[in-house]
């Protein structure tokens, strides 16, 4: 089954809030080799003007990947997740993610294309605080490989 192009423009309901914790930031930073003290030491982050630890730039993938289940599990879209490969990812920040943030994601399907027997899906996830303050927009492109 191919991806349904009529889904372009579809926006899904906001997700439940995700509480960003210090230990999650430290664990993520350690896992990716991010050694900046602002990711590990609250005093270092505060010396830079942040209220608490600052997450590495790719940290929002934790919340956006979970939020993408809304799209992946939508049977009407026609996605066979067993055939998915990651194509591209980019982030546009309004402000850094910091420990203590409560983040909500809203997913929108921006593009659906078919080329060479493969489906291409581009999504945008707007990550905000629970009060609606914009934090980061995350675009993801996935490729649904066609049948061989």
């Amino acid at each position: 089954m191919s991806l349904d192009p009529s889904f372009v423009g579809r926006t899904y309901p906001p997700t439940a809030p995700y509480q960003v914790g210090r230990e999650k930031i430290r664990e993520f930073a350690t896992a990716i080799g991010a050694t900046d003290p602002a990711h590990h030491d609250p005093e270092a982050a505060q010396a830079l003007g942040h209220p608490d630890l600052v997450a590495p730039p790719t940290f929002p993938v934790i919340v956006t990947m979970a939020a993408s289940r809304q799209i992946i599990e939508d049977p009407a879209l026609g996605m066979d997740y067993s055939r998915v490969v990651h194509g591209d990812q980019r982030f546009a920040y309004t402000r850094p993610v910091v420990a203590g943030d409560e983040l909500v994601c809203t997913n929108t399907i921006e593009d659906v294309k078919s080329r060479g027997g493969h489906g291409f899906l581009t999504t945008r996830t707007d990550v905000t605080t629970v009060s609606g303050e914009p934090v980061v927009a995350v675009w993801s492109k996935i490729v649904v490989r066609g049948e061989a």
Side-chain angles (χ1 to χ4, degrees), residues 3-12 71 74 76-78 107-114 120-124:
L3 298 173
D4 184 344
S6 72
F7 275 62
V8 172
R10 180 172 291 194
T11 298
Y12 291 79
I71 297 169
D74 187 337
L77 177 60
N107 291 309
T108 301
I109 296 178
E110 287 201 339
D111 194 30
V112 174
K113 288 199 178 355
S114 181
F120 295 82
L121 175 73
T122 302
T123 62
R124 175 185 170 135

Side-chain angles (χ1 to χ4, degrees), residues 18-126:
Y18 175 89
Q19 177 76 43
V20 178
R22 282 182 178 172
E23 290 310 311
K24 286 292 182 186
I25 290 174
R26 287 181 180 126
E27 290 168 358
F28 188 86
T30 299
I32 65 168
T35 59
D36 187 314
H39 304 316
H40 300 275
D41 178 9
E43 289 179 7
Q46 290 166 357
L48 295 171
H50 302 288
D52 210 320
L53 291 183
V54 178
T58 54
F59 182 87
V61 77
I62 291 172
V63 292
T64 61
M65 283 295 292
S68 71
R69 286 190 193 111
Q70 293 176 312
I71 297 169
I72 292 164
E73 295 174 357
D74 187 337
L77 177 60
M79 182 185 303
D80 178 355
Y81 195 69
S82 71
R83 305 195 64 77
V84 166
V85 294
H86 189 261
D88 188 34
Q89 189 99 36
R90 70 186 164 96
F91 302 82
Y93 274 89
T94 302
R95 69 155 178 86
V97 172
V98 296
D101 279 342
E102 285 188 85
L103 303 177
V104 175
C105 297
T106 303
N107 291 309
T108 301
I109 296 178
E110 287 201 339
D111 194 30
V112 174
K113 288 199 178 355
S114 181
R115 289 190 300 255
H118 307 292
F120 295 82
L121 175 73
T122 302
T123 62
R124 175 185 170 135
T125 304
D126 291 301

Side-chain angles (χ1 to χ4, degrees), residues 1 14 37 42 55 64 67 86 91 96 98 119 127 133 138-139 141:
M1 178 188 269
T64 61
H86 189 261
F91 302 82
V98 296
V127 182
E133 176 192 1
V138 181
W139 287 266
K141 181 175 285 188

